[in-house]
Amino acid sequence: MVCLPAVCCYVYSHPCHLNRASQYMGRSARRCRGCLAGSMDDDIQAGDSGAGRAARRDEAVRAAVEQGLVGAGSPVVGLLDVTGIRESAAELRAAFDAVVAPGTPVLHAFAVKATPLVPVLRLLREEGIGAEVASPGELALARAAGLGPEMTVLDSPAKTAAELREALDLGIAVNADNPQELDRIDGLMSADAGGSRSPLGIRVNPQVGGGSIGATSTATATSKFGVALRDEGAREWVVRAYQDRPWLTRLHAHTGSQGIPLSLLAQGVAEVYALAEEINGRIGRQQIDTLDIGGGLPVNFTSDATTPTYAEYARMLAAEVPGLFDGRYGLVTEFGRSLLAKHGTVVARVEYAKSSGGRAVAVTHAGVQVATRTVYAPESWPLRIGAYDAKGRVKEGPVVVQDVAGPACFSGDLLAEGRSMPVLEQGDYAAALDTGAYYFAHHYGYNSLLRPGVYGFGPGGEGGVVFAVVREAQTVGEVVAESGGAYVEGLTQSPLGLP
């Protein structure tokens, strides 16, 4: 085992660029010897082809079986491709560097909700990526990973006074979601005679419409997020809010994520840019100096190809909203799924292979507890399934229509239904692909199923694969403790007075 590379693999200097109230972290890097991810320069030039990523994944599955990370005693595991994560971070930075004016402050803040794992956040930090957090827990994870306030943005529709106070004390950027929250910030700012170092702004809902998945469309007419710009009087309220508060220097919008086409994402950005221009024009100076355009790049779950790309999106924004990149505005992005999804794999042992109604069914240890969205909404969140034999090698042979089932006690616990693939037999492995975001890091405790261990992988010596612990597998004892094991008599003894 080796430790997941953090400071050891890339050594960075971080010159801070001050843009009025806003701080951003710049980056320069020098590669050190022995980096787990190999030559980053070569990887960037070559690009991350789907074939290369698939080959790394296949090697990692085989090595995980050989090294005992997954097997009879550990029947499900999550694997993260460290090389791929580094490449995605580099591609994101390069895509926007190619379109912004030289010297423009840019912060790419990873949406922590996508993969809330401290070693992942640390790895991204070393790649120059900050953190967008939406809860006290996510902020704590970002801080544990070593992310400073200048690399952190707080977004949430339900921030408490205590959360706001902590953010303002730390100097973390905050986007107010609604008028009541802005009133709360007013009170906190008034109570602190020295003000706050936090860059502050308002989140608006451009109400440009939804995509193909309602649950991930955040710019609909009735979205719970932000100030709805097309509601009567709302736009004028936003303008006055900035006129009355010189310390509001940011404007934020996020149109949605999976299921949102690039054209709709660009439309949402165009709306927030136009509003910033209007506000600055009404005030008579450039008070808004930073635009937070959210994230939302959708992920292709149908193949190993990365489509769309960050470069395609950045070029579209440059064409549709040219003033966005002319150097007058600093930029914040909040991508999540697109940075991690393609670089994660859930590998599960086939415990039993059976037949029901003439259809083959592979019963595995990966189901609703690691793939909740897929199980409950398979039409919106289908996953590709890779078939591997008992030694972790890519499975070949006759293709049959089969179901890949999970371990939970309800009939709908299926990773895939009616899927044509090489037949899975007892002791084989089924791999849920493209699961690096919103899957094994978001455990669902149905049937008190254990959280799987998560490991990062990269190339070792002589063509091998090495692994690093990201999160240990949960134990049965931990499940009992989390389920009130220390309070076994809590409902049968005083002070409740029950017999």
Side-chain angles (χ1 to χ4, degrees), residues 83-409:
T83 298
I85 295 171
R86 289 190 186 277
E87 288 176 345
S88 283
E91 289 161 8
L92 170 58
R93 295 193 318 274
F96 281 86
D97 286 348
V99 295
V100 300
T104 300
V106 178
L107 171 65
H108 297 296
F110 174 66
V112 173
K113 59 184 171 290
T115 310
L117 296 169
V118 172
V120 169
L121 304 183
R122 179 66 174 215
L123 176 65
L124 290 172
R125 170 186 175 271
E126 296 305 319
E127 291 301 313
I129 306 297
E132 184 266 338
V133 301
S135 72
E138 289 184 356
L139 175 56
L141 296 179
R143 297 186 70 188
L147 285 148
E150 73 284 346
M151 298 185 75
T152 308
V153 179
L154 173 62
D155 293 319
S156 164
K159 305 179 195 73
T160 66
E163 291 172 52
L164 290 169
R165 177 75 277 171
E166 180 182 21
L168 295 180
D169 287 345
L170 292 171
I172 290 169
V174 177
N175 293 311
D177 181 82
N178 57 71
Q180 292 176 351
E181 183 180 334
L182 188 57
D183 288 343
R184 186 170 280 176
I185 293 174
D186 281 339
L188 292 170
M189 294 288 282
S190 298
D192 188 350
S196 172
R197 296 179 292 111
S198 293
L200 300 171
I202 296 175
R203 176 172 183 170
V204 297
N205 171 12
Q207 293 177 295
V208 294
S212 60
I213 304 175
T216 54
S217 299
T218 57
T220 58
T222 58
S223 172
K224 73 178 187 179
F225 294 102
V227 178
L229 281 183
R230 299 185 185 183
D231 283 13
E232 184 177 357
R235 191 179 190 95
E236 184 61 27
W237 178 88
V238 172
V239 174
R240 289 199 310 271
Y242 281 86
Q243 289 175 323
D244 295 341
R245 299 167 179 84
W247 40 265
L248 284 176
T249 60
R250 290 189 171 190
L251 189 61
H252 171 47
H254 174 65
T255 300
S257 52
Q258 194 66 19
I260 305 293
L262 294 192
S263 58
L264 192 61
L265 291 176
Q267 185 180 347
V269 173
E271 291 285 342
V272 76
Y273 170 78
L275 178 59
E277 292 284 273
E278 178 183 345
I279 292 170
N280 285 339
R282 292 269 293 272
I283 293 174
R285 62 184 178 85
Q286 189 169 354
Q287 178 172 314
I288 296 176
D289 60 27
T290 302
L291 297 180
D292 184 334
I293 63 172
L297 193 76
V299 170
N300 165 35
F301 285 97
T302 63
S303 75
D304 281 311
T306 300
T307 58
T309 66
Y310 293 121
E312 290 168 345
Y313 183 41
R315 288 193 296 267
M316 175 178 284
L317 289 177
E320 299 291 331
V321 199
L324 178 67
F325 299 136
D326 65 9
R328 290 179 298 123
Y329 292 101
L331 186 69
V332 177
T333 71
E334 299 175 354
F335 296 102
R337 179 181 290 105
S338 55
L339 274 166
L340 264 293
K342 286 290 182 185
H343 310 305
T345 305
V346 175
V347 184
R349 188 172 186 269
V350 177
E351 196 67 37
Y352 299 108
K354 55 192 291 186
S355 177
S356 182
R359 179 179 293 178
V361 180
V363 181
T364 79
H365 290 270
V368 72
Q369 86 279 24
V370 292
T372 312
R373 285 178 169 176
T374 294
V375 169
Y376 285 134
E379 297 83 6
S380 296
W381 302 100
L383 285 174
R384 294 183 296 138
I385 305 297
Y388 297 85
D389 66 18
K391 294 185 177 181
R393 300 170 301 193
V394 174
K395 185 118 192 209
E396 299 176 350
V399 171
V400 301
V401 175
Q402 58 194 302
D403 294 349
V404 180
C409 288

